[in-house]
Amino acid sequence: DLIKFVFEFLDDDDDKFISQVNVKSIFQYIPLQNKNFSNSSFKDRYESQEELHNIVSNFFKTKEKIDCKEFEELTINENST
């Protein structure tokens, strides 16, 4: 249920697929490395974007889009980050 919820959250255009662009656009403002958001600097945001890009790219590999079933399989078997 949680995986399906996350997928639906990421599927912001409700086309039953998510893409790297969907994921990055939602998480682009969250500093991944700095837990204290009020003190985050440009460097923290930049490094977080680089980390986010790497996580998303590694998750999607060569695929442009994935559906919910594939998202579930990748999350369970490959990487839940």
Side-chain angles (χ1 to χ4, degrees):
D1 288 339
L2 179 59
I3 290 173
K4 184 175 180 179
F5 171 79
V6 171
F7 180 86
E8 289 173 357
F9 177 77
L10 294 171
D11 181 17
D12 61 351
D13 58 1
D14 200 28
D15 67 352
K16 308 297 183 220
F17 291 92
I18 59 171
S19 68
Q20 292 186 43
V21 173
N22 289 121
V23 176
K24 288 177 185 178
S25 67
I26 290 172
F27 290 106
Q28 69 183 332
Y29 298 104
I30 301 171
L32 300 176
Q33 300 177 15
N34 186 350
K35 303 295 183 213
N36 187 355
F37 298 133
S38 62
N39 292 329
S40 63
S41 68
F42 177 76
K43 182 177 182 238
D44 293 330
R45 288 192 304 272
Y46 177 78
E47 289 172 354
S48 291
Q49 295 311 301
E50 190 173 340
E51 182 180 2
L52 177 61
H53 173 77
N54 291 335
I55 291 169
V56 172
S57 295
N58 287 332
F59 187 81
F60 278 81
K61 295 182 178 43
T62 60
K63 297 185 182 239
E64 192 65 33
K65 291 184 171 185
I66 58 175
D67 63 16
C68 190
K69 182 173 175 57
E70 203 167 11
F71 178 72
E72 180 177 7
E73 290 171 0
L74 287 169
T75 301
I76 291 170
N77 298 324
E78 303 258 345
N79 186 346
S80 64
T81 302

